[in-house]
Amino acid sequence: EAQVTQNPRYLITVTGKKLTVTCSQNMNHEYMSWYRQDPGLGLRQIYYSMNVEVTDKGDVPEGYKVSRKEKRNFPLILESPSPNQTSLYFCASSPLPSGRSYNEQFFGPGTRLTVL
Amino acid sequence: GQSLEQPSEVTAVEGAIVQINCTYQTSGFYGLSWYQQHDGGAPTFLSYNGLDGLEETGRFSSFLSRSDSYGYLLLQELQMKDSASYFCAVTFGGNNRKLIWGLGTSLAVNP
């Protein structure tokens, strides 16, 4: 089954304790992206990647890191989490758009993170 | 700055037609897309407009007018299962594949 998986689905942690949220897709997509969703603020892009070893900042990259060492994986790293990073996080992937084309993004199920 | 505006809430009845508008204060984008999200779920793709005009996909249609800086999603023959949040998003292309999202419109479909 074609899908985007995220782990963990739920996480409660404490301020300053490094954590990684994994994202994996089995559709051979070049493009992957991380979003956070907060009430009243909609979806905001954190980082995105056009291909292996190519990453770029979205609108809210502060406090986050990503890496893209393999095509299928795009982990989100919080080196020193803070309470304002409590949010619902989504990973998404799509084929790499060419020119003015658009390819729908496929979203993972989400990771609900609470930082105390 | 870049921003998209959508109504926060819309209410309609089963079988009706509803239009969700998305107005934007941005330029230079490739196109406008629409996603649906049920409570607690992941967003799912509905429609995309790369060019001005109407795109139709079953009960859902989407429209874009760059000259008027707005687009809309039209949902016909509403069903209870259409109760969800709907987001518009603009895509900036080239090597920069950033997306800017609207805050979403919560649609309640009543019997």
Side-chain angles (χ1 to χ4, degrees):
Chain A
E1 179 190 355
Q3 60 183 346
V4 179
T5 57
Q6 295 178 227
N7 282 292
R9 295 288 314 280
Y10 302 90
L11 178 61
I12 300 175
T13 188
V14 295
T15 298
K17 186 176 180 182
K18 180 180 178 179
L19 67 91
T20 299
V21 183
T22 64
C23 173
S24 183
Q25 50 93 6
N26 62 2
M27 295 170 279
N28 202 36
H29 287 164
E30 293 86 0
Y31 181 90
M32 297 185 75
S33 183
W34 275 103
Y35 300 91
R36 61 177 290 174
Q37 186 173 31
D38 303 287
L41 295 177
L43 282 152
R44 293 180 292 169
Q45 193 173 37
I46 303 171
Y47 271 95
Y48 62 97
S49 169
M50 305 284 281
N51 215 323
V52 174
E53 302 293 0
V54 180
T55 63
D56 212 339
K57 297 177 181 179
D59 268 351
V60 289
E62 296 78 19
Y64 304 94
K65 286 175 58 177
V66 292
S67 69
R68 188 90 182 274
K69 293 183 169 50
E70 305 166 282
K71 197 173 188 179
R72 63 183 293 127
N73 296 322
F74 191 43
L76 180 69
I77 303 155
L78 285 72
E79 295 268 4
S80 183
S82 62
N84 65 12
Q85 293 178 298
T86 291
S87 187
L88 177 60
Y89 290 87
F90 286 103
C91 179
S93 75
S94 77
L96 186 66
S98 61
R100 288 187 167 270
S101 68
Y102 180 83
N103 291 301
E104 67 175 279
Q105 294 198 22
F106 295 85
F107 283 77
T111 294
R112 191 167 291 281
L113 172 66
T114 301
V115 183
L116 302 174
Chain B
Q2 302 158 341
S3 67
L4 291 89
E5 294 185 9
Q6 307 177 229
S8 58
E9 295 180 349
V10 173
T11 301
V13 295
E14 270 188 301
I17 299 172
V18 71
Q19 178 174 313
I20 299 174
N21 293 330
C22 175
T23 58
Y24 52 86
Q25 306 283 334
T26 188
S27 61
F29 64 91
Y30 269 10
L32 183 72
S33 56
W34 290 90
Y35 284 77
Q36 178 192 60
Q37 185 182 32
H38 286 97
D39 269 351
T44 56
F45 174 77
L46 290 177
S47 187
Y48 173 75
N49 293 79
L51 302 173
D52 282 8
L54 190 69
E55 291 285 338
E56 296 178 270
T57 310
R59 294 188 298 116
F60 296 166
S61 303
S62 60
F63 175 83
L64 175 64
S65 171
R66 292 176 191 267
S67 59
D68 295 320
S69 297
Y70 101 109
Y72 66 72
L73 179 70
L74 191 72
L75 298 87
Q76 303 181 73
E77 301 172 19
L78 282 173
Q79 303 174 10
M80 298 292 287
K81 67 178 181 180
D82 297 329
S83 293
S85 291
Y86 293 84
F87 294 88
C88 59
V90 291
T91 307
F92 295 86
N95 285 328
N96 180 347
R97 284 289 172 175
K98 290 179 66 171
L99 274 82
I100 305 294
W101 295 73
L103 299 186
T105 299
S106 178
L107 170 64
V109 180
N110 298 318

